[in-house]
Amino acid sequence: MRIIKNFLPPKESSPYNPSKSLELAAGSKGEIIMNGMGGESFGIRRILPYSQDMNKIMVSARLNEDLYMFRDVQLSVVHTLFKSIDGLFAPFIIQKNNNIVFELENKATSKQTVNIQLIGYDQYAMSKLRSAYAQIGSPVPVPRFLYGHASVPAGGINADLGVKSKSVDVEVRRIAMSSDRPDVTSSMKVYNTTVRSELYIDQINDEFDGKYANVPFIVGSNVPFDVYATNANGQKAEVSFLCECYVVQDELMTEEA
């Protein structure tokens, strides 16, 4: 896989960073719907959410009507994945005359206001990005997200977060985790290979704070990717997992531009 890290959009590009807010009563559900740039496509590089208690807001993101990017994770894990990085290696695209829908549920006992901002590329930047990849003889990388969530009982050990692999091989580049309780640890296995030993969630987030994996790893097509959480607290913990990965276009292409 070849990845362009130093891409600069052309001067004709528009600084289009839409945002919307929604007030959710305690226990209620709602949606934030955001379009592309009118009749033009829009490539999203970052999702920047905020609410008063993001651990208590559950979110799903549905792109172009039918593709779920991730489902039923804490808003805080989305915030953690995107807050300290320049953006995804390659944007995911809101197609012309389409939208992205954020399905939200407030699990808190009081109302919360949720705001979500999108940062991305307009048609001019996307055209230049495609041309840049064409010049190095590589398709534009296709971003995907692996995700999972679990309620881990007090003292629970190695609870499975239910992360499902894709129907294609993907390369994991960044990982984020969140919990509404401290002292939660996690470990990860791909098939029978341990890719992260028992670590506190804060350690995992510190590893990827503004950085990509030192050595990315592959999650093969329909291969088990097991993410476990252990809760040392005296109360139940809600734990979410989200990671940025890319469809493996050609296993022989390992050079990065």
Side-chain angles (χ1 to χ4, degrees), residues 54-124:
M54 288 186 281
N55 287 322
K56 298 297 185 182
I57 299 290
M58 302 301 292
V59 60
S60 302
R62 190 175 76 245
L63 181 66
N64 300 323
E65 296 183 5
D66 59 357
L67 173 65
Y68 273 96
M69 298 162 52
F70 47 82
R71 301 183 77 161
D72 299 322
V73 295
Q74 291 167 314
L75 194 64
S76 50
V77 80
V78 180
H79 177 257
T80 298
L81 187 72
F82 286 98
K83 69 177 180 178
S84 61
I85 199 74
D86 288 340
L88 302 174
F89 276 142
F92 55 90
I93 300 171
I94 300 178
Q95 301 293 350
K96 292 181 180 180
N97 301 311
N98 223 309
N99 56 40
I100 183 170
V101 179
F102 294 98
E103 301 170 357
L104 303 163
E105 181 178 6
N106 182 11
K107 298 278 192 175
T109 56
S110 59
K111 70 178 181 181
Q112 292 200 67
T113 299
V114 179
N115 185 281
I116 296 179
Q117 180 187 26
L118 303 180
I119 297 177
Y121 292 148
D122 65 5
Q123 57 175 326
Y124 299 107

Side-chain angles (χ1 to χ4, degrees), residues 5 27 33 59 81 86 97 122 142 168 181 194 224 239:
K5 296 181 178 179
I33 302 174
V59 60
L81 187 72
D86 288 340
N97 301 311
D122 65 5
V142 180
V168 294
R181 301 290 177 193
T194 298
V239 183

Side-chain angles (χ1 to χ4, degrees), residues 130-194:
R130 293 188 187 99
S131 296
Y133 274 100
Q135 289 174 10
I136 64 173
S138 174
V140 179
V142 180
R144 293 287 187 269
F145 296 94
L146 299 177
Y147 56 91
H149 179 86
S151 296
V152 187
I157 297 174
N158 289 339
D160 193 336
L161 268 64
V163 178
K164 295 181 180 179
S165 57
K166 301 296 183 183
S167 59
V168 294
D169 294 354
V170 295
E171 184 177 85
V172 173
R173 289 283 178 155
R174 296 187 71 242
I175 293 171
M177 294 192 71
S178 63
S179 177
D180 61 347
R181 301 290 177 193
D183 299 328
V184 173
T185 59
S186 179
S187 61
M188 304 171 200
K189 286 186 177 181
V190 177
Y191 201 42
N192 290 321
T193 301
T194 298

